[in-house]
Amino acid sequence: MFGIDDFLIAAAIAAASAGGSAMLNNAAANKVAKQQNLYTQLEEQRQDALRGKAQQGFKDLLSTQDKGAQDTDMATQTAALSKAYNDQIDPNSFQALLPGQGNASNTVRTDIVNSGNAAEGKTRRGANSKAVLDAYGRVGLNNDIQFAHENQSLNDIASQSKGSSAILPLELNAAQNKGASLRGWANALSTAGSIASSIAAGNAFSSALNGGTAAASTVANAAPSLGTKISTFLKGGQIYGNIPGSPGTWVQAVPLGAP
Amino acid sequence: MCGIFGGKDKSAERAAQEARQREAKRQANLTTGRTSIDSALSGFNDDYFNTQAKNYDDWALPQLDDQFADQKKKLVFALSRGGLLNSSSAAQKQAELGEQYNTAKQSLVAKGQDYSTNTRKDVEDTRARLLSILGSTEDPTTVGDEAVRSAATLRQSPSFDPLGSLFTDIADQVSKVQSAKNLAGAYSAGGAQLFSGGNKSSGSIIN
């Protein structure tokens, strides 16, 4: 015959199983959260590095686009072009005597020099003006090329960012597997607890049918409470507190997982 | 395989690891491709572009010099014909021709710079195109081959436009002016006239 001691042991197993199951589930959840945090942090670090790279590149580009830098580039290009154009000017071509002018009068010679100088001055002024105009084109081209390179660099960074962030959901999903063994043990314990609870309740009921009025009464009072408590355990609830409406002293003997 | 306690299923982890490896491989491919592009186009630097400009100058400036020499000869002949070689007018025309010559030289040098600039633009367009192909295909080998081909195309010498005549014909102007002066001189001296009656009378009295 199933005695009260057997029943207490079964109930104790059930309660302990429920408590262990909850603890294991908590531990498993912590493992998952920890792994997910790790993956998230790593991805954030990668994204931060890429953002930093993009910002630095853009900052560098902007530093070449401020007025000072543009003026410097303009001055450099103008000077280079002005030199290139002025270097082409041949002073002799303006005022060298033509064949047959060997016996020209001084007046004519002076005119040749003056006209030549005037023409050369005009040509040099034109060269300098042309240098300024053409320098605008060169500075514009330099800017276009810099923007294009920066754009290519940003595209590259965006591609890396997109590619990396697309993997994070897979990693977070993989993190769910962390603590799977613990969850398995928790489920096993929970199942064992349920079985023990069922055995306890079933045997108590059987005793009552056999005339064990006191035992039946105890079981009748205790079984629902125990069931409620186990259910609480299985839901991962608090594992402390009194069993409500339980008049039986046996309940006090069950180690209900005082915190 | 999943055990009874669910601890052995590593498929999700494997999938994540493989995805991370694939991404690393993709990035490595892109880096390799970019390196190939940069390498293929590395020869297109300032020296190369300056040489482009110089090539044009070497081609165009001698032609200009030839044209200048011709114009000078024509001017001397035109001035000589009019007896103006040793005159202030000759000095002026001479300076004018010099101005045309030197301005044309500057224009040609600028055109050489344009060829250089256009080559630079072509190189950047090629770079952008190759990077675009790389972004689409993520295949560094194909892009590397294409980069080498493109670089070879860029290195082909550009065909230069013919120069044409770079001078206003000053000698011709001198000749025309001289002809007009001759005509006017002949008219005022009672020489060759288009119409009779140069004394503006209605007729002549014959005794």
Side-chain angles (χ1 to χ4, degrees):
Chain A
M1 182 163 175
F2 189 78
I4 190 69
D5 289 345
D6 295 333
F7 175 76
L8 284 175
I9 289 166
I13 290 170
S17 301
S21 171
M23 281 187 289
L24 290 171
N25 271 327
N26 277 342
N30 284 340
K31 270 192 139 182
V32 168
K34 195 175 168 188
Q35 188 64 25
Q36 286 186 333
N37 283 341
L38 178 67
Y39 282 137
T40 305
Q41 280 171 8
L42 286 173
E43 184 56 27
E44 279 174 359
Q45 283 169 12
R46 281 189 285 265
Q47 295 294 333
D48 280 348
L50 290 170
R51 261 193 301 276
K53 201 173 161 188
Q55 282 167 356
Q56 187 58 49
F58 193 63
K59 206 172 158 186
D60 291 345
L61 175 68
L62 284 182
S63 71
T64 67
Q65 301 300 312
D66 64 26
K67 187 175 183 308
Q70 291 286 293
D71 286 350
T72 302
D73 194 18
M74 183 70 193
T76 305
Q77 300 296 342
T78 302
L81 287 171
S82 184
K83 182 177 186 313
Y85 297 155
N86 276 291
D87 282 353
Q88 295 301 322
I89 294 174
D90 174 9
N92 287 330
S93 62
F94 294 100
Q95 45 191 274
L97 293 177
L98 294 172
Q101 285 181 329
N103 58 350
S105 66
N106 284 338
T107 307
V108 170
R109 285 173 184 263
T110 304
D111 277 352
I112 289 172
V113 170
N114 289 342
S115 298
N117 283 339
E120 184 181 342
K122 191 178 164 192
T123 307
R124 289 198 184 277
R125 284 194 298 279
N128 293 334
S129 300
K130 184 171 174 53
V132 173
L133 284 174
D134 290 352
Y136 276 112
R138 278 196 170 192
V139 170
L141 177 64
N142 283 345
N143 287 342
D144 286 349
I145 290 173
Q146 282 172 337
F147 279 126
H149 284 180
E150 178 59 16
N151 194 34
Q152 287 156 6
S153 175
L154 287 176
N155 279 343
D156 179 30
I157 292 170
S159 164
Q160 288 181 45
S161 171
K162 192 178 166 190
S164 183
S165 63
I167 298 165
L168 183 61
L170 294 175
E171 289 176 331
L172 293 180
N173 185 43
Q176 295 285 351
N177 275 347
K178 286 286 173 185
S181 318
L182 290 176
R183 275 197 303 277
W185 281 108
N187 287 339
L189 275 178
S190 176
T191 305
S194 296
I195 291 168
S197 174
S198 299
I199 290 169
N203 283 325
F205 184 67
S206 173
S207 296
L209 286 180
N210 287 333
T213 307
S217 173
T218 301
V219 169
N221 286 326
S225 303
L226 187 59
T228 302
K229 191 64 192 173
I230 288 170
S231 170
T232 304
F233 284 145
L234 292 177
K235 288 175 185 169
Q238 301 297 326
I239 53 173
Y240 55 84
N242 296 320
I243 295 173
S246 170
T249 55
W250 64 271
V251 175
Q252 311 297 329
V254 176
L256 285 177
Chain B
M1 184 169 171
C2 187
I4 57 166
F5 297 126
K8 300 271 174 89
D9 186 6
K10 301 275 186 186
S11 60
E13 203 168 329
R14 268 201 308 276
Q17 278 174 356
E18 284 167 9
R20 189 59 75 188
Q21 283 164 1
R22 274 198 305 276
E23 176 60 14
K25 172 78 176 154
R26 189 179 79 89
Q27 291 303 331
N29 282 346
L30 293 176
T31 302
T32 306
R34 273 193 298 274
T35 305
S36 300
I37 293 169
D38 289 344
S39 171
L41 301 180
S42 64
F44 298 101
N45 50 24
D46 284 347
D47 285 345
Y48 181 85
F49 299 130
N50 290 337
T51 304
Q52 288 280 101
K54 188 175 177 305
N55 287 344
Y56 181 78
D57 293 351
D58 290 347
W59 176 81
L61 292 179
Q63 295 181 59
L64 174 67
D65 287 342
D66 288 346
Q67 287 193 25
F68 178 56
D70 284 348
Q71 288 295 322
K72 203 153 60 169
K73 270 187 208 165
K74 284 171 78 175
L75 180 61
V76 169
F77 293 151
L79 290 170
S80 296
R81 274 197 300 273
L84 296 170
L85 196 55
N86 290 319
S87 68
S88 297
S89 182
Q92 206 171 1
K93 290 298 170 190
Q94 199 174 327
E96 203 177 311
L97 183 63
E99 189 182 328
Q100 281 193 30
Y101 169 63
N102 286 288
T103 304
K105 269 179 111 177
Q106 289 167 24
S107 295
L108 291 178
V109 168
K111 198 161 186 182
Q113 299 285 345
D114 285 348
Y115 275 104
S116 160
T117 301
N118 287 338
T119 306
R120 214 173 152 204
K121 282 181 189 165
D122 288 346
V123 169
E124 291 307 321
D125 287 347
T126 300
R127 188 191 307 280
R129 182 176 60 80
L130 290 169
L131 285 171
S132 174
I133 293 171
L134 179 64
S136 306
T137 63
E138 295 172 6
D139 180 356
T141 309
T142 305
V143 170
D145 293 345
E146 179 60 23
V148 170
R149 272 195 297 275
S150 298
T153 305
L154 285 168
R155 279 197 190 88
Q156 287 172 0
S157 299
S159 55
F160 299 138
D161 297 332
L163 288 186
S165 178
L166 296 166
F167 291 88
T168 305
D169 199 340
I170 295 174
D172 190 48
Q173 289 174 4
V174 170
S175 297
K176 281 177 180 163
V177 168
Q178 198 55 44
S179 297
K181 276 185 180 170
N182 289 342
L183 193 59
Y187 179 80
S188 59
Q193 297 178 15
L194 288 175
F195 303 101
S196 60
N199 59 4
K200 300 191 180 184
S201 62
S202 57
S204 10
I205 299 166
I206 300 169
N207 293 322

